[in-house]
Amino acid sequence: MIGKRRETIGNTLMLLPLILLFIAFFIYPLLYVIYTSLFEWNGFTRPDFVGIGNYGNLFRNVVFQTSARNNVVWVFSLGFLQVGLAALAAFILARKPKGWRFLRTVYFLPRVISAVAIALLWQTIYNAEYGALNAILSRIAGYPIRHNWLGSYGTALPAIVVQQVFYIGYFMIIVFASTTTIPRSYYEAAEMDGATTFQQERYITLPMARNTLVTSMTLAMAYGMRHFEPTFLMTGGGPGHSTSVLGLMMYKRIAQTKLGDAAAIGTLLVAIGFTLIMTIRRLLRGETYER
Amino acid sequence: MNDRLSLGSRGMRRSAVGAAAGLIAKWAYLLFLLGFALIPLLWLLVTSLKTQGEFLTYPLSLPETPRFSNYVTAFQMARLHVLLINSIITASFATVLNLSVTAAAAFVLTRQRVRWAPAVNGVILLGVLIPIISFMVPYLSLVRAIKLYNTRAALILVYAAINLPISYFIVSTFMREIPRSLEEAAVIEGASSFQRLVRVILPLSTAGLLTAGTLCFIYAWNEFAYALLLTSSSAVRTVQLGISFFNTQFRSDYPAMFAAIAVAMVPTVTAYVMLHDRIIGGLTAGAIKG
């Protein structure tokens, strides 16, 4: 009896740190960010209750509109372009061409390098006067090209998007892993029936990997919503506010000590992120090809 | 050979041409992606060995003689050693804290009879879905309230906490697989649950702990947003935050800036080279199962 009680106390003590940390850094912040979004607050003096006023002001704000529009660009670029490019690479690598292990490892490499390092590197590549991109283009064109990729309205957003979209490692690995669960016999049977490689990919791999593709798209879209570091580091949202995203606007509002506004943006990010994931999960339910 | 080709059906010839085109397209794509991932990084390393003059006039060329002194300059100008020590302290303590908390809780929730274990499990795993960036305001207020603003302790706590769901996922998956029989001998000897965790379960979960720990360390080493938000003085600054200021600081010396970036990449790239399968498996496990 005493042993049983000692066991219960021991269990509770071992579980407690995780519960406390989880409440402090996940549950409490979730409630806190929603609550704070209803106040006008500079972080020091007494907060003023404004109801949903912060949201109203945000929706009318031009920077907010631009940022939200850019988030949509990110959601679609990552969700469709990046996942599409990643899936293409995964399908090719799944057939184990020469050097596939090496390629898989290198494709993933940028993922373990910090956003800061990647951003500073690409900022220099895109630099107008001594950037590698202009140097290469100048050599091809035969005359000097001095385009300011990150400083011009037309090219700043596409430049960051392109840089991010081709780092396919993460989703390539996820899709690749799902293709390894497809039985070899399916392909052998198709081969005997005279199906071309393309037909095999189209009618076997694609439907079999469908769930994983949708999961990847959902994840990528969620990343598109919370996009922050690359843009913050490469353009700071400029030129003007043309490359701003919601995460960046939130950070700037905190820097201006407008914590209520920032919390409202934070709340929107959580809400939209959750809705995105849940909607797509619901759409998927009952349509399983895998396992 | 030629004759046979011309005698063969048109379809055959077309499919041979198609196959060749497909092969070329396939390799062009694979090599493009390889170049995209690798060439910028090689350019970074090459540039870190050039003089500023060489870099400005010929951004694409190799250095006349490699100048390793850029690395010395980077340490002197940016006080890189201070930044590195801060990052090592922050990332190491965050990893240790994260693993201790996760291992203890995962043990209780997967191997002890706890009635509400499934509920706790589910809630923790939901944490993976939360965009952590949206907690900037709460984390800032929390850290100020517990008087940890502008300390390494704040970053240690935040990084350890942010990684709880993913670490918990990895470690609990491992612990669930350990056969009951291995623990029973210790139970008969009258070992307490804590003793069983330390003597039996932890040694058998080393692989899971190593994966979760590596991921937590890489995350903490690379993290930028919260380092920016929660610290303000150069004394506690991490290396990522430090190099993010180089752009303005190093205008006159790009090669030295690249040298500093290269140094800051060493720990995570080394870990990746040694443990890539483990890291890839851990980072993608959540997405595949979830």
Side-chain angles (χ1 to χ4, degrees):
Chain A
M1 218 45 201
I2 288 170
K4 178 109 176 109
R5 216 175 122 201
R6 218 184 62 181
E7 190 90 352
T8 313
I9 294 172
N11 281 345
T12 314
L13 284 178
M14 283 194 280
L15 200 51
L16 209 56
L18 180 98
I19 305 269
L20 288 180
L21 271 182
F22 195 80
I23 291 174
F25 286 93
F26 286 88
I27 295 172
Y28 169 74
L30 185 59
L31 302 174
Y32 187 93
V33 76
I34 299 169
Y35 180 74
T36 313
S37 75
L38 306 175
F39 291 86
E40 205 176 294
W41 188 39
N42 61 17
F44 300 101
T45 55
R46 240 177 66 108
D48 286 324
F49 183 78
V50 291
I52 55 165
N54 288 333
Y55 294 91
N57 289 337
L58 280 177
F59 290 135
R60 282 189 294 274
N61 184 299
V62 183
V63 181
F64 179 87
Q65 291 162 4
T66 312
S67 304
R69 195 208 62 205
N70 288 341
N71 271 110
V72 173
V73 172
W74 278 106
V75 164
F76 281 96
S77 306
L78 297 184
F80 293 105
L81 268 177
Q82 190 180 39
V83 173
L85 292 166
L88 183 58
F91 289 174
I92 299 175
L93 289 191
R95 295 191 161 253
K96 315 267 161 88
K98 202 169 260 174
W100 67 274
R101 272 175 206 281
F102 169 75
L103 291 173
R104 193 182 63 152
T105 309
V106 175
Y107 291 165
F108 198 82
L109 174 66
R111 175 90 194 179
V112 299
I113 295 171
S114 72
V116 176
I118 299 285
L120 287 181
L121 172 58
W122 281 88
Q123 217 176 21
T124 320
I125 290 174
Y126 283 137
N127 187 288
E129 293 130 67
Y130 37 76
L133 181 60
N134 280 343
I136 293 168
L137 292 178
S138 303
R139 202 163 284 186
I140 295 170
Y143 57 88
I145 288 170
R146 292 276 174 272
H147 182 69
N148 190 351
W149 295 92
L150 293 172
S152 315
Y153 280 89
T155 54
L157 185 60
I160 314 174
V161 169
V162 166
Q163 183 268 311
Q164 290 285 307
V165 153
F166 280 108
Y167 280 160
I168 55 152
Y170 185 61
F171 294 112
M172 185 271 299
I173 296 284
I174 295 177
V175 179
F176 179 86
S178 84
T179 62
T180 57
T181 63
I182 304 173
R184 290 251 27 104
S185 57
Y186 290 15
Y187 294 101
E188 283 155 14
E191 194 90 44
M192 300 243 264
D193 290 342
T196 64
T197 310
F198 177 78
Q199 285 167 334
Q200 290 172 26
E201 298 300 327
R202 168 72 185 79
Y203 295 104
I204 302 173
T205 319
L206 203 56
M208 294 290 290
R210 182 176 173 278
N211 270 4
T212 308
L213 283 176
V214 178
T215 307
S216 301
M217 281 181 179
T218 322
L219 267 181
M221 288 178 170
Y223 291 151
M225 276 314 297
R226 56 181 94 160
H227 175 88
F228 170 69
E229 290 174 348
T231 295
F232 177 84
L233 290 158
M234 278 204 261
T235 65
H241 293 287
S242 62
T243 58
S244 180
V245 285
L246 293 178
L248 185 62
M249 187 184 178
M250 175 173 66
Y251 176 78
K252 286 190 173 171
R253 287 297 158 114
I254 294 175
Q256 299 160 358
T257 71
K258 291 180 175 165
L259 296 195
D261 276 9
I265 300 175
T267 306
L268 287 174
L269 286 180
V270 177
I272 301 170
F274 248 88
T275 318
L276 257 179
I277 290 176
M278 289 309 162
T279 314
I280 298 188
R281 287 207 168 175
R282 182 149 301 167
L283 287 178
L284 252 182
R285 202 169 291 162
E287 298 180 47
T288 33
Y289 290 87
E290 276 166 285
R291 252 152 276 181
Chain B
M1 192 65 191
N2 239 338
D3 272 336
R4 254 167 67 193
L5 239 174
S6 56
L7 285 171
S9 75
R10 286 181 78 109
M12 282 277 282
R13 200 191 310 169
R14 201 189 298 148
S15 82
V17 172
L23 201 67
I24 291 168
K26 180 178 96 177
W27 279 101
Y29 185 55
L30 291 181
L31 292 176
F32 168 77
L33 290 177
L34 181 70
F36 200 87
L38 218 48
I39 291 173
L41 295 173
L42 295 176
W43 183 68
L44 176 118
L45 290 181
V46 169
T47 306
S48 76
L49 298 173
K50 288 157 92 162
T51 65
Q52 171 84 346
E54 281 175 323
F55 168 66
L56 293 181
T57 29
Y58 307 106
L60 298 179
S61 70
L62 290 171
E64 200 126 295
T65 49
R67 292 220 329 169
F68 291 98
S69 61
N70 288 332
Y71 284 80
V72 180
T73 315
F75 272 89
Q76 285 166 346
M77 274 178 71
R79 289 165 38 90
L80 200 53
H81 50 286
V82 178
L83 301 174
L84 288 170
I85 289 169
N86 284 336
S87 273
I88 291 168
I89 292 174
T90 309
S92 309
F93 278 92
T95 307
V96 171
L97 177 63
N98 172 279
L99 286 185
S100 331
V101 171
T102 315
F107 168 72
V108 174
L109 290 175
T110 60
R111 306 197 63 83
Q112 302 286 85
R113 258 164 253 245
V114 180
R115 211 182 315 147
W116 23 269
V120 179
N121 237 320
V123 172
I124 296 169
L125 295 182
L126 266 186
V128 181
L129 300 181
I130 289 192
I132 287 299
I133 189 131
S134 47
F135 286 166
M136 279 186 174
V137 175
Y139 284 3
L140 181 63
S141 304
L142 183 66
V143 160
R144 274 185 188 153
I146 54 178
K147 306 267 182 272
L148 287 181
Y149 181 74
N150 194 31
T151 62
R152 282 175 294 240
L155 297 183
I156 291 170
L157 263 181
V158 168
Y159 295 165
I162 290 176
N163 271 282
L164 282 180
I166 175 80
S167 288
Y168 177 79
F169 181 80
I170 294 168
V171 174
S172 64
T173 310
F174 264 86
M175 285 190 178
R176 226 170 255 129
E177 307 285 308
I178 301 170
R180 282 245 164 253
S181 54
L182 293 174
E183 213 181 324
E184 263 152 24
V187 175
I188 292 164
E189 281 168 26
S192 71
S193 52
F194 181 73
Q195 286 167 329
R196 295 205 301 280
L197 166 66
V198 174
R199 286 201 216 134
V200 184
I201 302 300
L202 282 189
L204 291 170
S205 324
T206 334
L209 292 170
L210 186 59
T211 304
T214 313
L215 292 185
C216 185
F217 188 89
I218 291 179
Y219 175 86
W221 186 271
N222 286 342
E223 207 281 338
F224 171 73
Y226 282 107
L228 177 71
L229 187 73
L230 302 176
T231 62
S232 57
S233 76
S234 59
V236 299
R237 213 167 261 168
T238 62
V239 72
Q240 301 304 334
L241 193 55
I243 60 175
S244 78
F245 291 122
F246 283 1
N247 209 13
T248 39
Q249 200 177 334
F250 274 75
R251 266 283 133 78
S252 53
D253 200 344
Y254 271 85
M257 173 173 103
F258 277 15
I261 297 174
V263 172
M265 289 183 344
V266 167
T268 56
V269 173
T270 311
Y272 183 66
V273 169
M274 294 193 307
L275 301 166
H276 49 83
D277 287 337
R278 201 177 282 283
I279 292 171
I280 287 175
L283 268 179
T284 49
I288 294 164
K289 303 244 167 93

